[in-house]
């Protein structure tokens, strides 16, 4: 495996955990899955539908998201929104993220 392939594989591992935090941040306003998928990709958080939709269902089951169906348009869509518990968890994850970024920044400065 080349260095580029290894970097790509490791970068995917790094991003995997960030998708939950990104969803909890973006879903302060209700959105349906495909719109969320586009916003995530536009923000540089690469994720595909086969990953996102099971994640949304899992977060809803955990009580971090709420959902409701909009059947007013020709095609029904399920809209997701961060729940009050999801907002509390998001705040904790943001603190963890900030601490982690600070720690990694310190380590990379030491090894430069």
């Amino acid at each position: 495996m080349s260095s580029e392939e290894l970097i790509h594989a490791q970068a995917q591992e790094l991003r995997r955990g960030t998708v939950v935090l990104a969803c909890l941040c973006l879903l302060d306003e209700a959105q349906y899955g495909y719109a969320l998928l586009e916003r995530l990709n536009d923000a540089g958080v690469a994720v595909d539908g086969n990953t996102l939709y099971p994640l949304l269902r899992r977060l809803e089951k955990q009580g971090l998201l709420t959902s409701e169906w909009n059947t007013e348009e020709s095609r029904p869509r399920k809209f997701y929104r961060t729940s009050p518990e999801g907002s509390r968890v998001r705040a904790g994850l943001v603190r963890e993220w900030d601490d982690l970024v600070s720690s990694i920044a310190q380590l990379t400065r030491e090894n430069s």
Side-chain angles (χ1 to χ4, degrees):
M1 190 177 267
S2 72
S3 293
E4 287 302 313
E5 290 169 323
L6 286 169
I7 291 168
H8 179 72
Q10 292 302 319
Q12 280 186 300
E13 289 296 318
L14 280 174
R15 287 188 196 105
R16 188 164 293 154
T18 63
V19 176
V20 169
L21 179 55
C23 287
L24 292 175
C25 289
L26 288 175
L27 289 172
D28 263 349
E29 53 187 54
Q31 295 180 60
Y32 61 96
Y34 187 74
L36 176 62
L37 189 64
E38 287 184 324
R39 286 194 65 196
L40 287 166
N41 285 314
D42 289 349
V45 181
V47 62
D48 66 31
N50 293 329
T51 300
L52 182 63
Y53 292 106
L55 173 68
L56 293 173
R57 287 190 295 274
R58 181 170 56 86
L59 294 177
E60 183 178 20
K61 196 176 279 190
Q62 292 172 343
L64 303 180
L65 298 179
T66 60
S67 70
E68 65 181 48
W69 284 96
N70 178 340
T71 57
E72 295 172 8
E73 296 183 24
S74 61
R75 194 166 114 177
R77 290 185 172 149
K78 190 172 189 179
F79 280 75
Y80 294 90
R81 175 179 226 125
T82 304
S83 69
E85 178 66 10
S87 293
R88 287 188 287 277
V89 168
R90 179 187 60 223
L93 290 175
V94 167
R95 285 191 302 275
E96 291 289 330
W97 176 261
D98 289 343
D99 290 347
L100 184 60
V101 167
S102 177
S103 296
I104 295 297
Q106 178 65 35
L107 289 171
T108 56
R109 279 192 299 273
E110 290 173 4
N111 290 315
S112 295

